[in-house]
Amino acid sequence: YPNPATDIVNLSFSNEGQKTFVKKVSLSNSLGKVVYQTNTFVNKIDLNQFSSGIYFISVDVANQSITQKIIIH
């Protein structure tokens, strides 16, 4: 959240304990190119370096991947 976003996007889990099982957080553009990636959990992603458009945040947790579409203004 927020979505759409301008400066930052915040990441949260309904179950806070899941943070310890995060293997990767990535941000991909609408063409599927990974433009940001980290191998640890982050609470926020700074969006100022990215152009406006549609992106996808993927969080790999244990044995599943959660993907959410975001819009950057």
Side-chain angles (χ1 to χ4, degrees), residues 2 4 6-7 10 12 17 20 22 27 30 33 35 39 43 45-46 49-50 56-59 61 66-67 73:
T6 53
D7 297 326
N10 299 289
S12 64
T20 59
V22 170
L27 181 68
S30 59
K33 180 181 178 186
V35 294
N39 292 325
N43 290 318
I45 298 175
D46 181 358
Q49 60 189 337
F50 305 113
F56 297 90
I57 294 179
S58 296
V59 179
V61 182
I66 302 163
T67 302
H73 283 287

Side-chain angles (χ1 to χ4, degrees), residues 8-73:
I8 62 165
V9 65
N10 299 289
L11 305 178
S12 64
F13 287 96
S14 56
N15 178 353
E16 289 295 311
Q18 287 181 313
K19 289 182 189 180
T20 59
F21 297 105
V22 170
K23 294 181 180 178
K24 181 173 66 173
V25 176
S26 61
L27 181 68
S28 303
N29 64 20
S30 59
L31 300 174
K33 180 181 178 186
V34 176
V35 294
Y36 172 86
Q37 182 172 303
T38 180
N39 292 325
T40 59
F41 179 75
V42 292
N43 290 318
K44 299 177 182 183
I45 298 175
D46 181 358
L47 302 176
N48 288 310
Q49 60 189 337
F50 305 113
S51 302
S52 297
I54 297 172
Y55 291 80
F56 297 90
I57 294 179
S58 296
V59 179
D60 293 348
V61 182
N63 61 349
Q64 67 178 13
S65 181
I66 302 163
T67 302
Q68 188 76 39
K69 179 174 80 171
I70 65 163
I71 298 170
I72 299 175
H73 283 287

